[in-house]
Amino acid sequence: QLRLVESGGGLVQPGGSLRLSCAASGFNLNSYYAVAWFRQAPGKEREEVSCTSAGSGLTVYSDSVKGRFTASRDNAKNTVYLHINDLKPEDTATYYCAAPTRIMLATSACPINSGYLTLWGQGTLVTVSS
């Protein structure tokens, strides 16, 4: 079974940092699949914050998080990470990772067609509050 599991969220004060993890099972993240991080706050639409390409590991960030968020891969652990620095209250959201794992929709390089993101994790909640 293909699966993504996010972890690492929690309650953090403004200015703090977190590292979110997205662990894959049932497939190799770096074999052919780019992976994207999204966030969604209650009452708001989901927002893509980063997209990391397979192979190169290069990441594209949204303007709203550029300079504070850093994505990376650990191929040995089949895991991708999102390190968040200088957390702000507006970063409060549930964070999800997603990948285009259907055979005919597999994508290795960013950007990923939004309709191709067919595998999602359950999400991890980040709350930024003093």
Side-chain angles (χ1 to χ4, degrees):
Q1 181 178 352
L2 308 184
R3 186 164 57 96
L4 294 172
V5 179
E6 302 95 338
S7 62
L11 176 62
V12 185
Q13 293 184 340
S17 299
L18 283 174
R19 188 180 74 167
L20 309 182
S21 299
C22 174
S25 61
F27 69 103
N28 187 340
L29 273 176
N30 197 50
S31 63
Y32 195 72
Y33 308 106
V35 61
W37 284 94
F38 291 80
R39 65 184 181 185
Q40 186 167 26
K44 299 181 180 179
E45 295 184 353
R46 73 181 186 191
E47 174 191 17
E48 184 175 351
V49 297
S50 73
C51 183
T52 301
S53 297
S56 69
L58 297 177
T59 301
V60 177
Y61 302 93
S62 68
D63 290 339
S64 63
V65 305
K66 192 176 301 181
R68 297 188 299 114
F69 286 29
T70 303
S72 61
R73 287 179 180 253
D74 187 330
N75 294 330
K77 296 182 178 180
N78 205 24
T79 299
V80 297
Y81 303 96
L82 187 68
H83 195 281
I84 311 174
N85 295 314
D86 191 23
L87 280 158
K88 304 178 184 298
E90 55 263 39
D91 295 321
T92 296
T94 299
Y95 285 73
Y96 302 88
C97 58
T101 54
R102 290 194 185 276
I103 295 175
M104 296 303 298
L105 305 179
T107 303
S108 61
C110 300
I112 308 169
N113 186 302
S114 62
Y116 290 8
L117 291 165
T118 57
L119 182 65
W120 293 77
Q122 292 295 109
T124 185
L125 177 63
V126 173
T127 302
V128 184
S129 176
S130 61

